[in-house]
Each structure stands twice: as C-alpha cells, then as structure tokens.
Amino acid sequence: MLDQLGLPAGATVLVNGVGGGVGLAVARLAVGHGLRVIGTGSTAKREHAEAIGVRFIDYTAEDVAAAARELVPDGFDGIVDLVGGTSLRTVAPLARDPRNVIAVGDMSVPDLGGRFVERRVDRENLERSARLALDGILAPVITAVHPLSVAPAALATVENGHTSGKVVIKVT
C-alpha cells in the first residue's frame, strides 16, 4: 500500500484509523521506511500507536483537521485512509497532492482525487507479509484471543471498529 505512494524518507504520512490491525501494520512499515507518521484513532488505541513511533491525534478529544494542520502546516505528503466516509472527507484536503490519498475501504476516494486500493490476498502478498514478519519488521499486535465458540461475538467487535490490533480466534 505504501509503495503506491512512493514517498521518500522523511516524508510525512497521515494514517487515518491507525489503531486497528491494518493501521498499526501500515504505520510500522511507514516508520520502518523512515517516514514521519501521524495517526488518528480513539483514546483506547493511543498506546499501541505511540509505542511504534506514531504521533497520535485522538479524534474523540480534538478536531482532527485542526490538530493535523497544527502538526503539519504545509500538508501531508501522503494519506492512507482506513476509515472512509466522513472521516476520509475530513482528512483528504490535508494532502498536498490529492493523488496521494489512498483508501482501502471507501471506493468514493477517486471523487476526492485519490486512489482506491484493493486488498489482494494472494500467494505473493502472503509470502511478502510472512517475510516481513520473519524479519521482525511486521509484528502484529494481538489484543484478544477468543475460543471458536464465541467467534460471532468477536467478529462483531471487529466489524464495529472497536478493536485495536488483531483479534485471534483459537481453534482447538
């Protein structure tokens, strides 16, 4: 996903929705590539994001656009949106170049000048992710482990966006 932005080391990227499993992975990769990362999320997700070097903006406690403009007055080199909807429309204007706004969940991002990124779960990408994990670059944050018997409730929590990191279903 970040490779589609092609940002040089030192560039500033906003990860909108940094607290979830995908957001934390994107942030970790960005930090590893020498990017300055600002991330948005709720209070409960601050600790995990800051632990990997993200400057955190709590959308429940402050105006995201105003806080982001204060941190990066000239605009972001890239924005990775994992939230969509109104949240995407709030942060998209903060990009220096609208073509550097990418979204994975909101197919309307081209209306804002940005690009939609489809998730590709294929052998090549799974192997790439495995290599990053084995090299210690990509380390998923597992915040909950549930037995298979409560899988529907665990999945509902993930779908409601109230998890930080990954939720694992244990099959025994």
Side-chain angles (χ1 to χ4, degrees):
M1 185 179 330
L2 286 171
D3 53 341
Q4 292 190 9
L5 290 174
L7 300 176
T12 304
V13 65
L14 175 70
V15 179
N16 193 35
V18 74
V22 174
L24 289 169
V26 168
R28 186 180 299 275
L29 291 170
V31 168
H33 281 94
L35 301 177
R36 177 177 174 219
V37 181
I38 313 295
T40 68
S42 63
T43 306
K45 299 178 181 185
R46 176 183 294 275
E47 183 179 344
H48 291 296
E50 288 181 340
I52 60 174
V54 173
R55 173 62 170 85
F56 193 81
I57 298 173
D58 185 339
Y59 75 84
T60 67
E62 56 191 318
D63 178 291
V64 169
R69 280 191 194 100
E70 187 174 317
L71 292 170
V72 187
D74 295 331
F76 289 88
D77 299 303
I79 296 177
V80 177
D81 177 76
L82 304 165
V83 181
T86 302
S87 186
L88 167 62
R89 280 153 188 68
T90 298
V91 299
L94 300 171
R96 288 184 186 170
D97 182 342
R99 292 173 295 184
N100 286 339
V101 176
I102 58 174
V104 297
D106 192 326
M107 294 178 74
S108 72
V109 70
D111 297 340
L112 304 170
R115 295 176 278 161
F116 181 72
V117 177
E118 291 189 37
R119 299 173 192 189
R120 293 185 312 248
V121 183
D122 55 25
R123 183 178 186 97
E124 178 185 344
N125 284 301
L126 290 173
E127 287 176 350
R128 183 177 176 198
S129 296
R131 276 191 307 278
L132 290 168
L134 288 171
D135 292 343
I137 297 167
L138 190 59
V141 175
I142 297 172
T143 56
V145 178
H146 300 282
L148 181 59
S149 61
V150 298
L155 181 59
T157 303
V158 172
E159 289 176 341
N160 289 331
H162 297 294
T163 60
S164 52
K166 290 295 183 186
V167 173
V168 174
I169 303 297
K170 185 176 181 179
V171 180
T172 53

